[in-house]
């Protein structure tokens, strides 16, 4: 075993005998593009609605609920798909979230929420994860589209303008504090702050 | 030939039905029975936040704002996240009537009564739409005035 490692190390550490430096540089460059591009394409594929709804856990529960909401059906035809709200857009944050999502693969394999009943039982816990995440990053995924700096309060209803110009403007509250359950149905809200 | 009386009876029935259908029956349908009338455009919900006068003292107040996607079910009651006793200080919304905290025997409860839980059974939004039928409701004040008191 030790001999084997030694032999490989010798091969790797010694200069190339047959291939030119140009070939190795260009080859490495092209291979880099292919690997990196392939990696990114595959990762972007896991961000598509097609991918998310290819599991019945998502398709027949949360996806059905999303479809009647303003983020899916609206006058202007702008639509937020799953990853717009549930995956960070920055690359490093996205990678971190994708690694976390390996737990969701585990859940899929072992059928953690593979029936409607199991899903409803677990819904509070799942929702709380998302609320905590959005609370921690100051509702970053909301703000990717709904930028506070671009909000015109005069176009909002009085109640909305009052809340947004006070609690939201001062940073005392963030989007998710009030706007829970806007894209999916709510879990049992007994005991949740702000709910009765 | 023994079915002749039945056939004759059926023909008679058909004739009567056709005659009735031919008469001009008043409906709100707005088109012949075999046509699909153009539906009216969906009216906008009034979102002005202005309280409306009640037509009679016991009338459940109408909702002066949009309630799209408000979830009211066994898990959550979106209305109560502003209008319950515990929430009104922060929300500054009107508190639901004290009758909503009573059971049917009149005993007071700590929380909203189950029989008052589904807000939309009595409280509804208003739309900027022309009424389909003439409303002949007369306010009690007008009725008393007309009576000469």
């Amino acid at each position: 075993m030790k001999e084997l490692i030694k032999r490989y190390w010798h091969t790797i550490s010694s200069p190339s005998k047959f291939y030119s430096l140009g070939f190795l540089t260009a080859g490495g460059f092209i291979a880099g593009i292919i690997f990196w591009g392939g990696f990114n394409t595959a990762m972007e594929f896991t961000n598509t609605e097609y991918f998310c709804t290819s599991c019945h856990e998502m398709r027949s529960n949360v996806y059905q609920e999303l479809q009647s909401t303003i983020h899916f059906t609206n006058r202007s035809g702008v639509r937020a798909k799953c990853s717009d709200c549930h995956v960070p857009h920055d690359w490093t944050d996205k990678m971190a979230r994708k690694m976390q999502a390996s737990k969701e693969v585990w859940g899929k394999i072992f059928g953690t929420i593979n029936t409607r009943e199991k899903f409803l039982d677990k819904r509070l816990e799942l929702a709380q994860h998302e609320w905590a995440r959005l609370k921690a990053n100051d509702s970053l995924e909301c703000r990717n589209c709904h930028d506070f700096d671009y909000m015109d309060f005069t176009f909002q209803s009085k109640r909305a303008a009052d809340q947004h110009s006070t609690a939201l403007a001062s940073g005392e509250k963030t989007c998710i504090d009030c706007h829970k359950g806007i894209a999916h149905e709510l879990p049992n809200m007994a005991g949740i702050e702000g709910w009765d | 030939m023994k079915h002749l009386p039945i056939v004759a009876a059926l023909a008679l029935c058909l004739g009567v039905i056709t005659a009735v259908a031919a008469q001009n029956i008043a409906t709100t349908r707005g088109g012949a029975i075999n046509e699909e009338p153009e539906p009216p455009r969906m009216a906008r919900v009034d979102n002005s936040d202005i309280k409306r006068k009640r037509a009679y003292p016991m009338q459940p107040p109408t909702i002066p704002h949009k309630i799209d996607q408000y979830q009211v079910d066994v898990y959550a009651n979106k209305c109560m996240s502003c209008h319950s006793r515990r929430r009104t200080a922060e929300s500054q919304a009107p508190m639901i009537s004290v009758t909503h905290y009573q059971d049917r025997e009149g005993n007071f409860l700590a929380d909203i009564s189950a029989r008052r839980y589904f807000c939309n059974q009595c409280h509804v939004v208003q739309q900027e739409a022309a009424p389909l039928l003439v409303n002949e409701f007369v306010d009690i004040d007008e009725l008393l005035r007309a009576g000469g008191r």
Side-chain angles (χ1 to χ4, degrees), chain A residues 68-70 120 157-159 163 173 178 180-182 184-190 194-196, chain B residues 47 49 65-66 69-71 73-78 80-81 84 86-87 90-91 101 111:
Chain A
S68 62
T69 71
I70 192 83
L120 289 180
S157 72
K158 190 177 167 299
R159 260 174 314 125
Q163 292 298 327
K173 292 258 169 108
C178 299
K180 288 188 176 76
I182 46 156
H184 307 296
E185 281 171 24
L186 289 162
N188 191 343
M189 300 300 276
W195 289 76
D196 212 75
Chain B
N47 197 35
D49 273 336
H65 59 78
K66 286 195 282 192
Q69 302 289 329
Y70 277 23
Q71 186 174 337
D73 62 11
V74 66
Y75 299 121
N77 188 326
K78 174 74 177 162
M80 293 296 282
S81 71
S84 81
R86 284 186 283 270
R87 299 287 307 151
E90 193 182 342
S91 69
Y101 286 94
D111 220 329

mmCIF file of all heavy atoms in Angstrom, chain A residues 68-70 120 157-159 163 173 178 180-182 184-190 194-196, chain B residues 47 49 65-66 69-71 73-78 80-81 84 86-87 90-91 101 111:
data_model
loop_
_atom_site.group_PDB
_atom_site.id
_atom_site.type_symbol
_atom_site.label_atom_id
_atom_site.label_comp_id
_atom_site.label_asym_id
_atom_site.label_seq_id
_atom_site.Cartn_x
_atom_site.Cartn_y
_atom_site.Cartn_z
ATOM 1 N N SER A 68 -52.397 28.595 -6.196
ATOM 2 C CA SER A 68 -53.472 29.580 -6.119
ATOM 3 C C SER A 68 -52.994 30.896 -5.523
ATOM 4 O O SER A 68 -53.771 31.842 -5.421
ATOM 5 C CB SER A 68 -54.617 29.019 -5.273
ATOM 6 O OG SER A 68 -54.145 28.788 -3.962
ATOM 7 N N THR A 69 -51.747 30.964 -5.118
ATOM 8 C CA THR A 69 -51.276 32.180 -4.456
ATOM 9 C C THR A 69 -50.764 33.198 -5.468
ATOM 10 O O THR A 69 -50.517 32.883 -6.627
ATOM 11 C CB THR A 69 -50.146 31.878 -3.456
ATOM 12 O OG1 THR A 69 -48.973 31.541 -4.191
ATOM 13 C CG2 THR A 69 -50.524 30.748 -2.526
ATOM 14 N N ILE A 70 -50.580 34.407 -4.971
ATOM 15 C CA ILE A 70 -50.166 35.524 -5.820
ATOM 16 C C ILE A 70 -48.769 35.305 -6.423
ATOM 17 O O ILE A 70 -48.447 35.846 -7.462
ATOM 18 C CB ILE A 70 -50.208 36.840 -5.008
ATOM 19 C CG1 ILE A 70 -50.083 38.086 -5.891
ATOM 20 C CG2 ILE A 70 -49.140 36.871 -3.932
ATOM 21 C CD1 ILE A 70 -51.354 38.528 -6.511
ATOM 22 N N LEU A 120 -48.293 16.469 7.089
ATOM 23 C CA LEU A 120 -48.995 17.396 7.975
ATOM 24 C C LEU A 120 -48.425 17.339 9.390
ATOM 25 O O LEU A 120 -48.320 18.356 10.065
ATOM 26 C CB LEU A 120 -50.495 17.087 7.989
ATOM 27 C CG LEU A 120 -51.247 17.439 6.706
ATOM 28 C CD1 LEU A 120 -52.714 17.082 6.839
ATOM 29 C CD2 LEU A 120 -51.093 18.914 6.354
ATOM 30 N N SER A 157 -51.706 50.186 0.328
ATOM 31 C CA SER A 157 -52.880 50.544 1.122
ATOM 32 C C SER A 157 -52.388 51.173 2.420
ATOM 33 O O SER A 157 -51.231 51.011 2.805
ATOM 34 C CB SER A 157 -53.727 49.314 1.409
ATOM 35 O OG SER A 157 -53.072 48.491 2.342
ATOM 36 N N LYS A 158 -53.274 51.871 3.102
ATOM 37 C CA LYS A 158 -52.849 52.630 4.275
ATOM 38 C C LYS A 158 -52.246 51.717 5.338
ATOM 39 O O LYS A 158 -51.206 52.018 5.920
ATOM 40 C CB LYS A 158 -54.038 53.410 4.834
ATOM 41 C CG LYS A 158 -53.637 54.398 5.905
ATOM 42 C CD LYS A 158 -54.806 55.207 6.401
ATOM 43 C CE LYS A 158 -54.456 55.952 7.679
ATOM 44 N NZ LYS A 158 -54.087 55.058 8.786
ATOM 45 N N ARG A 159 -52.908 50.594 5.560
ATOM 46 C CA ARG A 159 -52.407 49.663 6.577
ATOM 47 C C ARG A 159 -51.012 49.172 6.237
ATOM 48 O O ARG A 159 -50.124 49.113 7.079
ATOM 49 C CB ARG A 159 -53.341 48.459 6.682
ATOM 50 C CG ARG A 159 -54.309 48.522 7.829
ATOM 51 C CD ARG A 159 -55.266 47.351 7.744
ATOM 52 N NE ARG A 159 -55.779 47.164 6.412
ATOM 53 C CZ ARG A 159 -55.711 46.043 5.727
ATOM 54 N NH1 ARG A 159 -55.170 44.979 6.249
ATOM 55 N NH2 ARG A 159 -56.211 45.965 4.519
ATOM 56 N N GLN A 163 -47.402 49.952 8.337
ATOM 57 C CA GLN A 163 -46.522 48.916 8.879
ATOM 58 C C GLN A 163 -45.134 48.972 8.251
ATOM 59 O O GLN A 163 -44.128 48.863 8.929
ATOM 60 C CB GLN A 163 -47.139 47.525 8.650
ATOM 61 C CG GLN A 163 -48.393 47.279 9.451
ATOM 62 C CD GLN A 163 -48.170 47.328 10.948
ATOM 63 O OE1 GLN A 163 -47.113 46.949 11.438
ATOM 64 N NE2 GLN A 163 -49.150 47.824 11.677
ATOM 65 N N LYS A 173 -38.879 44.641 12.497
ATOM 66 C CA LYS A 173 -39.509 43.435 11.948
ATOM 67 C C LYS A 173 -38.906 43.171 10.570
ATOM 68 O O LYS A 173 -38.425 44.088 9.904
ATOM 69 C CB LYS A 173 -41.021 43.654 11.790
ATOM 70 C CG LYS A 173 -41.756 43.789 13.113
ATOM 71 C CD LYS A 173 -42.466 42.499 13.472
ATOM 72 C CE LYS A 173 -42.972 42.497 14.883
ATOM 73 N NZ LYS A 173 -44.404 42.604 14.994
ATOM 74 N N CYS A 178 -44.458 38.989 9.564
ATOM 75 C CA CYS A 178 -45.895 39.160 9.305
ATOM 76 C C CYS A 178 -46.389 38.283 8.158
ATOM 77 O O CYS A 178 -47.508 37.806 8.181
ATOM 78 C CB CYS A 178 -46.204 40.612 8.972
ATOM 79 S SG CYS A 178 -45.797 41.742 10.311
ATOM 80 N N LYS A 180 -46.263 35.236 6.962
ATOM 81 C CA LYS A 180 -46.116 33.774 7.005
ATOM 82 C C LYS A 180 -47.269 33.153 6.222
ATOM 83 O O LYS A 180 -48.366 33.691 6.197
ATOM 84 C CB LYS A 180 -46.169 33.277 8.451
ATOM 85 C CG LYS A 180 -44.940 33.614 9.272
ATOM 86 C CD LYS A 180 -45.024 32.902 10.622
ATOM 87 C CE LYS A 180 -43.794 33.112 11.469
ATOM 88 N NZ LYS A 180 -43.719 34.445 12.091
ATOM 89 N N GLY A 181 -47.004 32.007 5.636
ATOM 90 C CA GLY A 181 -48.075 31.279 4.950
ATOM 91 C C GLY A 181 -48.616 31.984 3.727
ATOM 92 O O GLY A 181 -49.782 31.843 3.394
ATOM 93 N N ILE A 182 -47.764 32.760 3.039
ATOM 94 C CA ILE A 182 -48.251 33.470 1.861
ATOM 95 C C ILE A 182 -48.158 32.602 0.611
ATOM 96 O O ILE A 182 -48.862 32.833 -0.358
ATOM 97 C CB ILE A 182 -47.491 34.782 1.630
ATOM 98 C CG1 ILE A 182 -45.992 34.549 1.778
ATOM 99 C CG2 ILE A 182 -47.965 35.850 2.569
ATOM 100 C CD1 ILE A 182 -45.196 35.551 1.036
ATOM 101 N N HIS A 184 -47.690 28.961 0.934
ATOM 102 C CA HIS A 184 -48.156 27.619 1.296
ATOM 103 C C HIS A 184 -49.115 27.739 2.463
ATOM 104 O O HIS A 184 -49.131 28.750 3.151
ATOM 105 C CB HIS A 184 -46.981 26.725 1.702
ATOM 106 C CG HIS A 184 -45.884 26.676 0.689
ATOM 107 N ND1 HIS A 184 -46.069 26.148 -0.563
ATOM 108 C CD2 HIS A 184 -44.606 27.099 0.718
ATOM 109 C CE1 HIS A 184 -44.938 26.251 -1.243
ATOM 110 N NE2 HIS A 184 -44.030 26.831 -0.498
ATOM 111 N N GLU A 185 -49.859 26.681 2.702
ATOM 112 C CA GLU A 185 -50.755 26.699 3.849
ATOM 113 C C GLU A 185 -49.953 26.661 5.140
ATOM 114 O O GLU A 185 -48.824 26.184 5.169
ATOM 115 C CB GLU A 185 -51.706 25.498 3.779
ATOM 116 C CG GLU A 185 -52.833 25.729 2.803
ATOM 117 C CD GLU A 185 -53.640 24.471 2.563
ATOM 118 O OE1 GLU A 185 -53.635 23.590 3.442
ATOM 119 O OE2 GLU A 185 -54.257 24.372 1.496
ATOM 120 N N LEU A 186 -50.574 27.170 6.193
ATOM 121 C CA LEU A 186 -49.884 27.259 7.471
ATOM 122 C C LEU A 186 -50.015 25.963 8.256
ATOM 123 O O LEU A 186 -50.999 25.246 8.123
ATOM 124 C CB LEU A 186 -50.483 28.400 8.289
ATOM 125 C CG LEU A 186 -50.169 29.812 7.803
ATOM 126 C CD1 LEU A 186 -51.135 30.797 8.400
ATOM 127 C CD2 LEU A 186 -48.748 30.183 8.146
ATOM 128 N N PRO A 187 -49.026 25.678 9.095
ATOM 129 C CA PRO A 187 -49.175 24.560 10.043
ATOM 130 C C PRO A 187 -50.047 25.012 11.202
ATOM 131 O O PRO A 187 -50.579 26.125 11.188
ATOM 132 C CB PRO A 187 -47.746 24.308 10.497
ATOM 133 C CG PRO A 187 -47.088 25.632 10.381
ATOM 134 C CD PRO A 187 -47.737 26.351 9.244
ATOM 135 N N ASN A 188 -50.184 24.192 12.213
ATOM 136 C CA ASN A 188 -50.929 24.603 13.405
ATOM 137 C C ASN A 188 -50.204 25.766 14.083
ATOM 138 O O ASN A 188 -49.081 25.615 14.549
ATOM 139 C CB ASN A 188 -51.043 23.422 14.371
ATOM 140 C CG ASN A 188 -52.022 23.720 15.481
ATOM 141 O OD1 ASN A 188 -52.372 24.873 15.727
ATOM 142 N ND2 ASN A 188 -52.476 22.677 16.148
ATOM 143 N N MET A 189 -50.870 26.939 14.097
ATOM 144 C CA MET A 189 -50.196 28.151 14.545
ATOM 145 C C MET A 189 -50.393 28.433 16.025
ATOM 146 O O MET A 189 -50.048 29.514 16.503
ATOM 147 C CB MET A 189 -50.678 29.351 13.724
ATOM 148 C CG MET A 189 -50.407 29.231 12.248
ATOM 149 S SD MET A 189 -48.663 29.059 11.884
ATOM 150 C CE MET A 189 -48.164 30.777 11.878
ATOM 151 N N ALA A 190 -50.975 27.502 16.752
ATOM 152 C CA ALA A 190 -51.180 27.714 18.190
ATOM 153 C C ALA A 190 -49.822 27.924 18.860
ATOM 154 O O ALA A 190 -48.914 27.111 18.712
ATOM 155 C CB ALA A 190 -51.891 26.513 18.798
ATOM 156 N N GLY A 194 -47.407 36.190 17.359
ATOM 157 C CA GLY A 194 -48.153 36.968 16.379
ATOM 158 C C GLY A 194 -49.419 36.280 15.913
ATOM 159 O O GLY A 194 -50.167 36.818 15.123
ATOM 160 N N TRP A 195 -49.641 35.062 16.390
ATOM 161 C CA TRP A 195 -50.848 34.329 15.997
ATOM 162 C C TRP A 195 -51.640 33.996 17.239
ATOM 163 O O TRP A 195 -51.086 33.900 18.326
ATOM 164 C CB TRP A 195 -50.504 33.074 15.196
ATOM 165 C CG TRP A 195 -50.001 33.436 13.859
ATOM 166 C CD1 TRP A 195 -48.752 33.919 13.567
ATOM 167 C CD2 TRP A 195 -50.728 33.447 12.649
ATOM 168 N NE1 TRP A 195 -48.670 34.209 12.244
ATOM 169 C CE2 TRP A 195 -49.858 33.928 11.651
ATOM 170 C CE3 TRP A 195 -52.026 33.087 12.293
ATOM 171 C CZ2 TRP A 195 -50.271 34.069 10.323
ATOM 172 C CZ3 TRP A 195 -52.422 33.218 10.967
ATOM 173 C CH2 TRP A 195 -51.544 33.704 10.009
ATOM 174 N N ASP A 196 -52.917 33.842 17.057
ATOM 175 C CA ASP A 196 -53.764 33.673 18.219
ATOM 176 C C ASP A 196 -54.429 32.306 18.253
ATOM 177 O O ASP A 196 -54.787 31.777 17.248
ATOM 178 C CB ASP A 196 -54.848 34.745 18.213
ATOM 179 C CG ASP A 196 -55.227 35.123 19.613
ATOM 180 O OD1 ASP A 196 -54.429 35.826 20.240
ATOM 181 O OD2 ASP A 196 -56.294 34.702 20.076
ATOM 182 N N ASN B 47 -60.762 48.095 -0.720
ATOM 183 C CA ASN B 47 -59.632 47.974 0.206
ATOM 184 C C ASN B 47 -59.367 49.306 0.903
ATOM 185 O O ASN B 47 -58.244 49.620 1.266
ATOM 186 C CB ASN B 47 -58.391 47.523 -0.572
ATOM 187 C CG ASN B 47 -57.311 46.983 0.335
ATOM 188 O OD1 ASN B 47 -57.608 46.362 1.343
ATOM 189 N ND2 ASN B 47 -56.066 47.233 -0.017
ATOM 190 N N ASP B 49 -60.285 50.573 3.804
ATOM 191 C CA ASP B 49 -60.135 50.621 5.253
ATOM 192 C C ASP B 49 -61.080 51.625 5.914
ATOM 193 O O ASP B 49 -60.807 52.087 7.016
ATOM 194 C CB ASP B 49 -58.690 50.971 5.657
ATOM 195 C CG ASP B 49 -57.830 49.725 5.729
ATOM 196 O OD1 ASP B 49 -58.397 48.642 5.922
ATOM 197 O OD2 ASP B 49 -56.607 49.836 5.575
ATOM 198 N N HIS B 65 -61.414 45.654 3.864
ATOM 199 C CA HIS B 65 -60.098 45.439 3.232
ATOM 200 C C HIS B 65 -60.084 44.088 2.535
ATOM 201 O O HIS B 65 -60.985 43.275 2.715
ATOM 202 C CB HIS B 65 -58.974 45.533 4.263
ATOM 203 C CG HIS B 65 -59.092 44.532 5.392
ATOM 204 N ND1 HIS B 65 -58.746 43.210 5.242
ATOM 205 C CD2 HIS B 65 -59.525 44.664 6.666
ATOM 206 C CE1 HIS B 65 -58.951 42.583 6.392
ATOM 207 N NE2 HIS B 65 -59.432 43.430 7.270
ATOM 208 N N LYS B 66 -59.033 43.861 1.754
ATOM 209 C CA LYS B 66 -58.912 42.601 1.024
ATOM 210 C C LYS B 66 -58.584 41.462 1.990
ATOM 211 O O LYS B 66 -57.863 41.661 2.962
ATOM 212 C CB LYS B 66 -57.793 42.707 -0.023
ATOM 213 C CG LYS B 66 -58.175 43.551 -1.215
ATOM 214 C CD LYS B 66 -57.217 43.343 -2.370
ATOM 215 C CE LYS B 66 -55.923 44.101 -2.154
ATOM 216 N NZ LYS B 66 -55.076 44.156 -3.350
ATOM 217 N N GLN B 69 -56.431 35.047 0.197
ATOM 218 C CA GLN B 69 -55.508 34.038 0.730
ATOM 219 C C GLN B 69 -55.475 33.983 2.247
ATOM 220 O O GLN B 69 -54.565 33.391 2.812
ATOM 221 C CB GLN B 69 -54.081 34.270 0.211
ATOM 222 C CG GLN B 69 -53.933 34.270 -1.282
ATOM 223 C CD GLN B 69 -54.098 32.883 -1.871
ATOM 224 O OE1 GLN B 69 -53.762 31.893 -1.220
ATOM 225 N NE2 GLN B 69 -54.625 32.795 -3.047
ATOM 226 N N TYR B 70 -56.420 34.624 2.925
ATOM 227 C CA TYR B 70 -56.428 34.537 4.384
ATOM 228 C C TYR B 70 -56.866 33.132 4.776
ATOM 229 O O TYR B 70 -57.920 32.673 4.380
ATOM 230 C CB TYR B 70 -57.405 35.563 4.981
ATOM 231 C CG TYR B 70 -56.839 36.949 5.141
ATOM 232 C CD1 TYR B 70 -55.751 37.375 4.378
ATOM 233 C CD2 TYR B 70 -57.388 37.846 6.051
ATOM 234 C CE1 TYR B 70 -55.238 38.644 4.511
ATOM 235 C CE2 TYR B 70 -56.874 39.127 6.197
ATOM 236 C CZ TYR B 70 -55.807 39.524 5.424
ATOM 237 O OH TYR B 70 -55.302 40.783 5.562
ATOM 238 N N GLN B 71 -56.026 32.489 5.555
ATOM 239 C CA GLN B 71 -56.312 31.108 5.945
ATOM 240 C C GLN B 71 -57.123 31.079 7.237
ATOM 241 O O GLN B 71 -56.697 31.614 8.259
ATOM 242 C CB GLN B 71 -54.996 30.344 6.123
ATOM 243 C CG GLN B 71 -55.198 28.865 6.394
ATOM 244 C CD GLN B 71 -53.868 28.126 6.429
ATOM 245 O OE1 GLN B 71 -52.880 28.575 5.876
ATOM 246 N NE2 GLN B 71 -53.857 26.984 7.092
ATOM 247 N N ASP B 73 -58.786 28.052 9.147
ATOM 248 C CA ASP B 73 -59.120 26.629 9.243
ATOM 249 C C ASP B 73 -58.678 26.114 10.604
ATOM 250 O O ASP B 73 -58.360 26.904 11.506
ATOM 251 C CB ASP B 73 -58.491 25.834 8.087
ATOM 252 C CG ASP B 73 -56.976 25.883 8.095
ATOM 253 O OD1 ASP B 73 -56.398 26.340 9.096
ATOM 254 O OD2 ASP B 73 -56.366 25.462 7.099
ATOM 255 N N VAL B 74 -58.650 24.812 10.752
ATOM 256 C CA VAL B 74 -58.358 24.232 12.060
ATOM 257 C C VAL B 74 -56.948 24.583 12.532
ATOM 258 O O VAL B 74 -56.670 24.617 13.730
ATOM 259 C CB VAL B 74 -58.565 22.694 12.012
ATOM 260 C CG1 VAL B 74 -57.541 22.039 11.093
ATOM 261 C CG2 VAL B 74 -58.514 22.075 13.388
ATOM 262 N N TYR B 75 -56.052 24.914 11.601
ATOM 263 C CA TYR B 75 -54.665 25.172 11.972
ATOM 264 C C TYR B 75 -54.394 26.637 12.299
ATOM 265 O O TYR B 75 -53.588 26.942 13.161
ATOM 266 C CB TYR B 75 -53.724 24.748 10.842
ATOM 267 C CG TYR B 75 -53.801 23.288 10.520
ATOM 268 C CD1 TYR B 75 -54.150 22.855 9.248
ATOM 269 C CD2 TYR B 75 -53.516 22.340 11.498
ATOM 270 C CE1 TYR B 75 -54.227 21.508 8.955
ATOM 271 C CE2 TYR B 75 -53.584 20.997 11.209
ATOM 272 C CZ TYR B 75 -53.936 20.580 9.941
ATOM 273 O OH TYR B 75 -54.006 19.257 9.659
ATOM 274 N N ALA B 76 -55.031 27.535 11.546
ATOM 275 C CA ALA B 76 -54.687 28.942 11.699
ATOM 276 C C ALA B 76 -55.886 29.812 11.376
ATOM 277 O O ALA B 76 -56.754 29.424 10.598
ATOM 278 C CB ALA B 76 -53.530 29.300 10.761
ATOM 279 N N ASN B 77 -55.941 30.973 12.008
ATOM 280 C CA ASN B 77 -56.979 31.948 11.707
ATOM 281 C C ASN B 77 -56.310 33.292 11.487
ATOM 282 O O ASN B 77 -55.931 33.987 12.423
ATOM 283 C CB ASN B 77 -57.992 32.028 12.853
ATOM 284 C CG ASN B 77 -59.185 32.880 12.482
ATOM 285 O OD1 ASN B 77 -59.063 33.850 11.745
ATOM 286 N ND2 ASN B 77 -60.348 32.517 12.982
ATOM 287 N N LYS B 78 -56.143 33.635 10.215
ATOM 288 C CA LYS B 78 -55.417 34.845 9.854
ATOM 289 C C LYS B 78 -56.117 36.101 10.379
ATOM 290 O O LYS B 78 -55.458 37.048 10.816
ATOM 291 C CB LYS B 78 -55.279 34.902 8.333
ATOM 292 C CG LYS B 78 -54.670 36.166 7.778
ATOM 293 C CD LYS B 78 -53.189 36.239 8.024
ATOM 294 C CE LYS B 78 -52.606 37.498 7.384
ATOM 295 N NZ LYS B 78 -51.298 37.818 7.942
ATOM 296 N N MET B 80 -57.734 36.495 13.072
ATOM 297 C CA MET B 80 -57.499 36.659 14.501
ATOM 298 C C MET B 80 -56.078 37.117 14.803
ATOM 299 O O MET B 80 -55.789 37.527 15.926
ATOM 300 C CB MET B 80 -57.792 35.341 15.220
ATOM 301 C CG MET B 80 -59.254 34.961 15.184
ATOM 302 S SD MET B 80 -60.278 36.133 16.061
ATOM 303 C CE MET B 80 -59.964 35.612 17.739
ATOM 304 N N SER B 81 -55.188 37.055 13.834
ATOM 305 C CA SER B 81 -53.835 37.531 14.092
ATOM 306 C C SER B 81 -53.798 39.061 14.180
ATOM 307 O O SER B 81 -52.777 39.633 14.542
ATOM 308 C CB SER B 81 -52.854 37.018 13.033
ATOM 309 O OG SER B 81 -53.079 37.648 11.806
ATOM 310 N N SER B 84 -58.019 39.646 17.301
ATOM 311 C CA SER B 84 -58.297 39.007 18.594
ATOM 312 C C SER B 84 -57.944 39.966 19.730
ATOM 313 O O SER B 84 -57.244 40.956 19.531
ATOM 314 C CB SER B 84 -57.480 37.729 18.731
ATOM 315 O OG SER B 84 -56.168 38.035 19.134
ATOM 316 N N ARG B 86 -55.927 39.636 22.198
ATOM 317 C CA ARG B 86 -54.499 39.709 22.487
ATOM 318 C C ARG B 86 -53.723 40.508 21.452
ATOM 319 O O ARG B 86 -52.644 40.996 21.713
ATOM 320 C CB ARG B 86 -53.918 38.289 22.554
ATOM 321 C CG ARG B 86 -54.254 37.573 23.837
ATOM 322 C CD ARG B 86 -53.527 36.245 23.914
ATOM 323 N NE ARG B 86 -54.158 35.228 23.085
ATOM 324 C CZ ARG B 86 -55.125 34.410 23.521
ATOM 325 N NH1 ARG B 86 -55.551 34.498 24.752
ATOM 326 N NH2 ARG B 86 -55.660 33.516 22.727
ATOM 327 N N ARG B 87 -54.245 40.622 20.234
ATOM 328 C CA ARG B 87 -53.460 41.197 19.148
ATOM 329 C C ARG B 87 -53.800 42.647 18.824
ATOM 330 O O ARG B 87 -53.085 43.306 18.088
ATOM 331 C CB ARG B 87 -53.660 40.353 17.882
ATOM 332 C CG ARG B 87 -53.210 38.912 18.012
ATOM 333 C CD ARG B 87 -51.715 38.758 18.035
ATOM 334 N NE ARG B 87 -51.131 39.423 16.898
ATOM 335 C CZ ARG B 87 -49.914 39.952 16.887
ATOM 336 N NH1 ARG B 87 -49.149 39.882 17.941
ATOM 337 N NH2 ARG B 87 -49.468 40.550 15.812
ATOM 338 N N GLU B 90 -51.245 45.700 19.337
ATOM 339 C CA GLU B 90 -50.185 45.859 18.350
ATOM 340 C C GLU B 90 -50.743 46.222 16.970
ATOM 341 O O GLU B 90 -50.199 47.050 16.258
ATOM 342 C CB GLU B 90 -49.377 44.566 18.252
ATOM 343 C CG GLU B 90 -48.079 44.747 17.495
ATOM 344 C CD GLU B 90 -47.296 43.444 17.369
ATOM 345 O OE1 GLU B 90 -47.565 42.497 18.138
ATOM 346 O OE2 GLU B 90 -46.436 43.374 16.500
ATOM 347 N N SER B 91 -51.860 45.592 16.603
ATOM 348 C CA SER B 91 -52.361 45.784 15.240
ATOM 349 C C SER B 91 -53.227 47.030 15.096
ATOM 350 O O SER B 91 -53.386 47.537 13.999
ATOM 351 C CB SER B 91 -53.186 44.565 14.821
ATOM 352 O OG SER B 91 -54.388 44.514 15.573
ATOM 353 N N TYR B 101 -66.692 35.835 22.345
ATOM 354 C CA TYR B 101 -66.006 35.154 23.441
ATOM 355 C C TYR B 101 -66.994 34.474 24.383
ATOM 356 O O TYR B 101 -66.683 34.222 25.528
ATOM 357 C CB TYR B 101 -65.137 36.156 24.215
ATOM 358 C CG TYR B 101 -63.889 36.560 23.456
ATOM 359 C CD1 TYR B 101 -63.874 37.700 22.675
ATOM 360 C CD2 TYR B 101 -62.732 35.784 23.512
ATOM 361 C CE1 TYR B 101 -62.743 38.071 21.972
ATOM 362 C CE2 TYR B 101 -61.593 36.143 22.817
ATOM 363 C CZ TYR B 101 -61.606 37.285 22.054
ATOM 364 O OH TYR B 101 -60.478 37.641 21.359
ATOM 365 N N ASP B 111 -60.923 32.340 25.026
ATOM 366 C CA ASP B 111 -60.575 32.450 23.614
ATOM 367 C C ASP B 111 -61.843 32.514 22.770
ATOM 368 O O ASP B 111 -62.940 32.336 23.293
ATOM 369 C CB ASP B 111 -59.741 31.225 23.213
ATOM 370 C CG ASP B 111 -58.626 31.621 22.280
ATOM 371 O OD1 ASP B 111 -58.826 32.593 21.518
ATOM 372 O OD2 ASP B 111 -57.569 30.977 22.316
#
